[in-house]
Amino acid sequence: MTVFVTGGAGFIGGNFIHYHLAQHPEDRVVCIDKLTYAGNLTTLSPVMDNPNFLFCKLDICDREGVFGLFEAEKPDTVINFAAESHVDRSIEDPGIFLQTNIIGTATMMDACRAFGNVRYHQVSTDEVYGDLPLDRPDLFFTEKTPIHTSSPYSSSKAGADLLVQAYHRTYGLPITISRCSNNYGPYQFPEKLIPLIIANCLNNQPLPVYGEGLNVRDWLYVEDHCKAIDLIVRKGRIGEVYNVGGHNEMRNIDIVKLIIHDLRKSEDLITFVADRKGHDLRYAIDPTKIHNELGWLPETKFQDGIKKTIAWYLENRNWWEEIISGEYQNYYQKMYANG
Ligand code: NAD
Ligand code: TDX
């Protein structure tokens, strides 16, 4: 089987490629990635020499390039991870989010249709459901929760998600969709909360916490997300949406303190900064459907996953130091200057 993985030089796509080649060594994996600021070829260096792996630098919005690659490689399955993924960047400049997340998704599905209705999986997000109130711990997102977005990022992901459902209903494209909660683990770009806090702790820099740090996220170790996607692609029902989440809700401030204590740093590093505009209060996934239908359950407990993640950032300083010393510095200065 030949699998196209878009966005494979990024955090989750990169972890997925490592997982897939280890679990299914008989498959051929072709990675399509534009190598934006978030793409990093070092993440893929362990598999670059694998004869069953091919890397292709390509924009998923480049119709001609995408159709050419389908013609040459004849994929059986496409898994679309490629996206602009950072909420704060979408608030600064939404345009590229609409382009990559919506037009890019349509382009990949058009190619799937043109080459014999290729099996397509969309990596969506729990952010399409908007948020839940902090004082209603009894409420969770199910697959039936209405789409109700807050940021340009989540709106662009919701647009893509709906388009995927439309291609199934209108053209019969064989699709599935996963909507996952917040991931953490190796190879996550240090603009996101957990790697940002680890990197700043290690450099004794202030730790920026938005608002009062009371917003709640439902954290899942990235490998558990990869397992869920692999299961859905192989055994999921065509046309269906599956929520993926770990029942592991935590307040941002508690995550920050946990990392501080693990690294034996001081809570004095915590700096409360201006809140994110439109900041979602709480995400919480109900994963009953994927559990009942496909037997999926998260395997990594947060206490273990966060230790593994911190150890990875300690052992792979080159990977993230190279990022934070480059162009990313300009972004960081702009975003956190008035903290
Ligand atoms: P990421 O930003 O780390 O990686 C995105 C990758 O996509 C990068 O390698 C980038 O170069 C590539 N890319 C961007 N635009 C492209 C384009 N036009 N053409 C080809 N490649 C392009 O993102 P991530 O955190 O790994 O997220 C992957 C997917 O999972 C996204 O679709 C995101 O919406 C979804 N998701 C993420 C989380 C999370 O917690 N990170 C949770 C749920 C869902
Ligand atoms: O410096 C910070 N300080 C802070 O308090 C940053 C970067 C974040 N935060 C807060 C905002 C959120 O409440 O931490 C929480 C997590 O923030 P992010 O890591 O930016 O993730 P989030 O906005 O929750 O979105 C993530 O989960 C869903 C991914 O980035 C998305 O791609 C995914 O769809």
Side-chain angles (χ1 to χ4, degrees):
M1 175 159 111
T2 295
V3 182
F4 276 14
V5 174
T6 71
F11 166 46
I12 308 176
N15 276 282
F16 183 83
I17 287 174
H18 293 304
Y19 177 81
H20 193 105
L21 286 169
Q23 294 298 314
H24 309 290
E26 68 287 0
D27 285 358
R28 177 166 167 75
V29 174
V30 177
C31 172
I32 299 175
D33 199 297
K34 185 184 175 185
L35 294 180
T36 68
Y37 79 93
N40 192 337
L41 269 190
T42 321
T43 299
L44 294 173
S45 54
V47 297
M48 277 300 186
D49 293 334
N50 185 323
N52 274 344
F53 178 71
L54 177 72
F55 178 80
C56 206
K57 184 175 185 310
L58 184 64
D59 185 336
I60 59 165
C61 304
D62 172 355
R63 226 178 159 77
E64 209 177 308
V66 167
F67 276 60
L69 196 65
F70 269 69
E71 178 73 60
E73 294 291 335
K74 307 202 170 15
D76 302 288
T77 303
V78 171
I79 308 178
N80 185 27
F81 292 88
E84 287 293 333
S85 69
H86 194 37
V87 173
D88 294 324
R89 289 183 192 256
S90 81
I91 294 167
E92 290 298 299
D93 186 8
I96 187 68
F97 285 73
L98 308 185
Q99 186 63 23
T100 289
N101 298 0
I102 301 177
I103 305 296
T105 296
T107 307
M108 293 307 297
M109 290 196 296
D110 285 342
C112 286
R113 286 183 59 216
F115 288 85
N117 258 6
V118 173
R119 173 82 171 83
Y120 180 91
H121 180 77
Q122 174 74 1
V123 182
S124 189
T125 169
D126 62 354
E127 295 201 20
V128 300
Y129 298 121
D131 63 354
L132 295 164
L134 290 175
D135 60 357
R136 288 293 307 274
D138 54 313
L139 297 180
F140 295 90
F141 299 136
T142 74
E143 291 80 0
K144 295 199 162 63
T145 302
I147 302 276
H148 185 80
T149 56
S150 312
S151 70
Y153 162 72
S154 55
S155 305
S156 69
K157 290 294 290 185
D161 189 310
L162 292 170
L163 205 54
V164 175
Q165 296 182 59
Y167 270 55
H168 175 62
R169 171 141 181 182
T170 309
Y171 307 118
L173 191 69
I175 64 97
T176 42
I177 297 174
S178 51
R179 296 181 184 148
C180 190
S181 60
N182 285 60
N183 284 212
Y184 68 100
Y187 302 113
Q188 187 167 26
F189 195 90
E191 67 190 349
K192 306 283 167 48
L193 181 72
I194 288 185
L196 185 145
I197 297 299
I198 297 173
N200 282 16
C201 264
L202 291 173
N203 288 332
N204 296 310
Q205 294 294 313
L207 309 177
V209 174
Y210 297 164
E212 296 175 68
L214 301 179
N215 303 59
V216 170
R217 298 291 182 265
D218 179 359
W219 294 94
L220 183 72
Y221 192 62
V222 62
E223 198 182 5
D224 279 322
H225 186 189
C226 295
K227 285 181 188 165
I229 291 172
D230 189 40
L231 261 177
I232 296 168
V233 166
R234 280 161 204 271
K235 300 194 177 138
R237 282 187 295 136
I238 297 301
E240 292 292 313
V241 175
Y242 292 91
N243 278 356
V244 183
H247 274 307
N248 180 54
E249 292 175 50
M250 293 185 69
R251 300 187 310 177
N252 294 338
I253 189 69
D254 296 327
I255 301 242
V256 172
K257 286 184 179 169
L258 198 152
I259 296 170
I260 290 173
H261 295 150
D262 198 87
L263 289 170
R264 296 187 165 67
K265 299 287 178 177
S266 161
E267 288 190 11
D268 293 345
L269 286 175
I270 294 175
T271 312
F272 291 98
V273 298
D275 210 350
R276 175 183 278 172
K277 292 189 184 89
H279 199 172
D280 280 337
L281 295 172
R282 170 175 169 250
Y283 302 146
I285 280 280
D286 176 352
T288 306
K289 179 174 174 180
I290 188 170
H291 175 61
N292 287 348
E293 285 191 18
L294 305 177
W296 179 89
L297 272 180
E299 289 168 28
T300 303
K301 291 198 181 75
F302 188 77
Q303 305 91 286
D304 301 330
I306 193 73
K307 278 201 186 323
K308 277 203 267 186
T309 304
I310 293 173
W312 188 88
Y313 280 87
L314 276 166
E315 284 157 19
N316 293 276
R317 281 190 92 117
N318 283 348
W319 184 90
W320 56 269
E321 275 178 346
E322 210 161 288
I323 293 170
I324 62 178
S325 64
E327 173 59 27
Y328 176 65
Q329 262 308 316
N330 299 334
Y331 165 83
Y332 194 88
Q333 296 307 334
K334 184 174 159 211
M335 295 302 285
Y336 295 96
N338 305 318

